Amino acid sequence: AFALLHKRAPGFTALVCGNDVLAIGALCECAALGIRVPQSLSVMGFDDIDMAAGASPPLTTVRVPAAEIGRRAAARMLARLAGEAVPPIEELPAGLVVRESTGPAPR
């Protein structure tokens, strides 16, 4: 998908992916195409999976409390199925994990 995007709309300087797996794939394609990350293109993911820190370069990402999100979603679903009061929706913290895949936009 990244190769197609790059071919159709060259010149963009940042790529924000919906998850880390897509972002790591984009990093691999950048390497194959000779695109320097982050000098020419910043790449960012979402999830902070274990592979993100070991990517080349290490991936900037957003860390979310996935296990807690799952627990709360399950509690809401079980309460609804049981006809009980559904726990209120609450915001959970998310944090930016800055690593080496992002930098200033090239001039």
Side-chain angles (χ1 to χ4, degrees), residues 10-92:
F12 57 91
T13 61
L15 180 66
V16 178
C17 298
N19 61 55
D20 288 348
V21 173
L22 293 174
I24 291 168
L27 289 177
C28 292
E29 192 63 21
C30 285
L33 295 172
I35 299 169
R36 297 176 2 180
V37 175
Q39 295 84 355
S40 298
L41 177 69
S42 288
V43 179
M44 183 176 161
F46 187 92
D47 292 328
D48 196 25
I49 63 173
D50 292 339
M51 291 174 47
S56 180
L59 183 65
T60 295
T61 186
V62 174
R63 179 179 295 146
V64 294
E68 184 61 24
I69 290 170
R71 279 191 286 278
R72 291 184 188 203
R76 291 179 56 79
M77 179 185 69
L78 292 172
R80 184 172 301 268
L81 290 171
E84 300 170 356
V86 177
I89 295 174
E90 299 177 59
E91 284 188 25
L92 295 174

